[in-house]
Amino acid sequence: PLARQGRSTLAASSAVRWVGQSLPVLTLFFSHRYIPMAGLKAGAPAPQSITVHEKSRVLEVVFSDGAAFRIPFELMRVYSPSAEVQGHGPGQEVLQTGKRDVTLVDLAPVGNYAVQPTFSDGHDSGIFSWDYLYELGQRGDALWQDYVQRLQAAGVDRDAPMAPKGA
């Protein structure tokens, strides 16, 4: 994992920068050489930099095709690709609530194809591939509207605490 001391476990070509208050901005720079891994689309854009903005609670990702996205931590958390959130099949999704103020406490690289964030609520099982981060950035507004509609349909407030597991 990327420790708050400004140390990186990513490849030597990466650079990590912590600035700001006690929990500052983390920036990861990736080399231009990108080797696709299993599960990724061939020729898909790869990140050139990833910046964690603690204060505004967004992940800024700049891709090799020039696209740049600012993905809110809350959006990442409610659309985590983990089985805990997505379930193990269609219809098993778990509507996430109480995530408005979630932050990132860690961001670990996963091979050459993804990052695995640890959120302030303890959730750490989602692996965000480059393709998935690109999709979250590109479709963020539509995904957010879908989330709001699902909250309304369930009659649940966005800030309501999550029901205990098994309840």
Side-chain angles (χ1 to χ4, degrees):
L2 300 174
R4 292 192 185 279
Q5 298 92 0
R7 187 170 57 82
S8 170
T9 58
L10 292 177
S13 62
S14 339
V16 177
R17 180 172 59 101
W18 288 105
V19 292
Q21 298 178 335
S22 60
L23 302 177
V25 175
L26 162 70
T27 303
L28 308 175
F29 294 98
F30 296 84
S31 68
H32 293 282
R33 196 177 80 162
Y34 176 68
I35 302 166
M37 303 297 279
L40 297 182
K41 299 173 194 152
Q48 299 301 295
S49 70
I50 297 177
T51 305
V52 174
H53 295 278
E54 293 265 344
K55 194 170 186 177
S56 57
R57 295 190 307 274
V58 296
L59 185 73
E60 181 179 1
V61 187
V62 177
F63 285 89
S64 57
D65 67 351
F69 305 110
R70 293 176 59 87
I71 307 167
F73 296 164
E74 183 180 12
L75 182 73
M76 291 176 64
R77 180 59 182 86
V78 301
Y79 280 100
S80 172
S82 69
E84 178 184 331
V85 174
Q86 299 298 326
H88 292 281
Q92 295 183 0
E93 300 85 359
V94 177
L95 183 60
Q96 302 294 301
T97 59
K99 308 305 179 192
R100 181 191 304 259
D101 295 323
V102 75
T103 61
L104 287 184
V105 296
D106 197 13
L107 188 65
V110 178
N112 264 347
Y113 65 95
V115 290
Q116 185 172 14
T118 299
F119 293 92
S120 58
D121 66 354
H123 180 71
D124 65 357
S125 58
I127 296 175
F128 290 73
S129 69
W130 306 148
D131 292 343
Y132 193 63
L133 285 173
Y134 198 96
E135 180 180 353
L136 286 177
Q138 195 171 50
R139 297 188 51 231
D141 291 341
L143 290 169
W144 184 257
Q145 290 306 312
D146 178 65
Y147 173 62
V148 169
Q149 289 172 356
R150 289 186 296 129
L151 287 170
Q152 291 171 346
V156 180
D157 184 77
R158 169 182 171 200
D159 294 316
M162 288 291 295
K165 291 180 183 176

